[in-house]
Amino acid sequence: MTYSGQVTVGGPADVHELKDLMITKIAVGPMDNNAYLLRCRATDEQLLIDAANEADTLLGMIGDDGIASVVTTHQHGDHWQALAAVVDTTGARTYAGRDDADGISVPTDVLVDDGDIIRVGRVELTVRHLVGHTPGSIALVYDDPHGHPHVFTGDCLFPGGVGNTRKDPEAFASLIHDVETKIFDALPDETWVYPGHGNDTSLGAERPHLPEWHARGW
């Protein structure tokens, strides 16, 4: 099956099979949050990005092999409603951006900063700290050695624009700057984007619209 990244709450997960990594995407909860399960194909170690909601659904996706880690992309509550239950069941380590950890109800085991590496088996994910949607939002970049990069952007980048900055000009200026310099300037058009809600996109699809985003201010 070809991966589309189009999932709905209550519907099946979609699986993106890469040579070294399997990415399973599922939608959960009343705010249609995306959760992503990453599995290293060499070691079978697993990592979950955003234990957003519906703990039973997430644990069913995780399966009997469990997970080593859970990364929370930012402090907004819709992204960690199932975190306590998932951690209690699996014993997973928790990761979050240093400046958002205090806003997450479950203690963070590992505070991360821009440029840090989070590993799932033999696969490395590079942390990108993006300020504006929240003070400590993070994206995770997987630079696939066999293909193009993949980036998990939380609520900082979606099809059609950056994340909500609540009509705060300073927050928008910060977020668009960080997204441009750390994501668009650093990665090629082929980069696949996995957002915190909704459908996937690519940097190439979004790049031509950057001037529009600047002009409208959101």
Side-chain angles (χ1 to χ4, degrees), residues 22-121:
M22 289 182 62
I23 302 167
T24 303
K25 177 180 182 179
I26 199 165
V28 293
M31 297 184 70
D32 292 354
N33 286 75
N34 295 326
Y36 299 93
L37 182 66
L38 279 55
R39 185 183 186 100
C40 171
R41 301 186 76 148
T43 68
D44 288 331
E45 184 172 298
Q46 297 191 118
L47 174 151
L48 182 68
I49 299 174
D50 284 345
N53 213 307
E54 299 181 32
D56 288 346
T57 299
L58 297 180
L59 290 167
M61 177 176 68
I62 289 165
D64 293 339
D65 289 342
I67 50 172
S69 312
V70 184
V71 179
T72 303
T73 58
H74 62 289
Q75 64 180 257
H76 288 161
D78 59 307
H79 289 260
W80 48 258
Q81 290 301 300
L83 183 57
V86 169
V87 169
D88 286 347
T89 301
T90 64
R93 293 184 303 274
T94 54
Y95 291 77
R98 182 176 302 277
D99 296 327
D100 266 18
D102 287 347
I104 299 169
S105 67
V106 177
T108 299
D109 297 321
V110 184
L111 302 172
V112 294
D113 299 297
D114 191 67
D116 285 351
I117 301 296
I118 298 175
R119 292 177 174 82
V120 51

